[in-house]
Amino acid sequence: MRIGVLVSGTGSNLEAILSAGLPVVVVAADRPCRGLQIAAERGVATELVERTSFGTDFDRLGYTKSVVAALENHRVDLVVMAGFMTILDPIFIERWDGRVLNSHPALLPEFKGAHAVADALAAGVAVTGCTVHIATAELDDGPVLARQEVPVESGDTVESLHERIKVAERRLYPATIRALIDRIEHEEQQQG
Ligand code: GRF
């Protein structure tokens, strides 16, 4: 199994995934970020597929094709999104159908989207959490592989709550990826 990880930010989930010894062959990013630095420091190949437009002229299909090509260069067969902030064209999911994973900082199907932690806090829920799921063409949708609850504490800010959720993610995400790889390899062995 050859994993490609997509990042845009601090890369603390990437760090946990690498520390778990998962077979990551490339880390790709849409912008220069700490995630790329972490990969380079650990001797993992990096691909910066820089997104140059965040406006209405963004060529999502063209950009997605570049990301596909970058991962294909490294013969990736499982894609792990770890804080990747660009929504890709559905051709990406078609290319790795059922083999694209995402971790979302809320208990899906609640609080989809980029502001999940702030939305959970604003809604006044007592418990939120994180969800690892197989990505589909729909944003923050698709079969759930694992979820973990995280309590909201009085006085929580978006930052403090997100950090507590990320502590849970850094344990749940590597373990869930490992379990999926084991399941895929077991199924492949049975098929001969
Ligand atoms: C995580 O909370 C993940 O669920 C969300 O983005 C955050 C990434 O954090 N999609 P990091 O870059 O791994 O620290």
Side-chain angles (χ1 to χ4, degrees):
M1 194 61 67
R2 297 173 65 83
I3 298 177
V5 182
L6 298 182
V7 293
S8 299
T10 45
S12 70
N13 277 282
L14 166 68
E15 230 166 349
I17 288 162
L18 292 172
S19 295
L22 288 161
V24 177
V25 296
V26 62
V27 174
D30 59 357
R31 65 200 79 187
C33 60
R34 184 169 166 264
L36 282 183
Q37 291 169 11
I38 290 168
E41 283 164 10
R42 301 229 189 172
V44 177
T46 58
E47 294 272 0
L48 174 58
V49 188
E50 194 154 6
R51 177 172 171 178
T52 50
S53 166
F54 290 83
T56 49
D57 62 336
F58 176 50
D59 175 12
R60 196 174 303 280
L61 178 60
Y63 180 79
T64 301
K65 286 179 178 172
S66 301
V67 176
V68 169
L71 297 182
E72 282 183 339
N73 276 342
H74 298 267
R75 293 180 288 114
V76 163
D77 41 29
L78 180 68
V79 181
V80 169
M81 293 197 283
F84 188 65
M85 296 307 288
T86 293
I87 296 171
L88 296 172
D89 185 274
I91 62 151
F92 190 82
I93 298 295
E94 284 159 25
R95 170 62 183 81
W96 282 282
D97 195 17
R99 299 274 174 101
V100 181
L101 301 186
N102 185 42
S103 179
H104 183 73
L107 296 175
L108 290 174
E110 288 193 317
F111 308 118
K112 295 181 178 185
H115 308 290
V117 181
D119 291 348
L121 204 55
V125 294
V127 174
T128 182
C130 53
T131 306
V132 177
H133 65 100
I134 295 176
T136 60
E138 292 290 317
L139 182 67
D140 298 329
D141 205 55
V144 170
L145 298 176
R147 302 201 311 166
Q148 187 173 324
E149 293 186 349
V150 173
V152 180
E153 292 176 1
S154 68
D156 255 340
T157 60
V158 173
E159 291 71 30
S160 66
L161 179 56
H162 198 172
E163 190 45 45
R164 197 171 322 109
I165 292 170
K166 291 215 287 185
V167 170
E169 285 186 292
R170 290 193 285 263
R171 196 197 56 76
L172 188 69
Y173 209 4
T176 307
I177 296 165
R178 170 78 65 205
L180 180 72
I181 290 175
D182 287 351
R183 198 179 80 199
I184 291 170
E185 288 182 346
H186 181 73
E187 283 168 6
E188 283 176 355
Q189 271 173 13
Q190 292 212 318
Q191 286 161 7

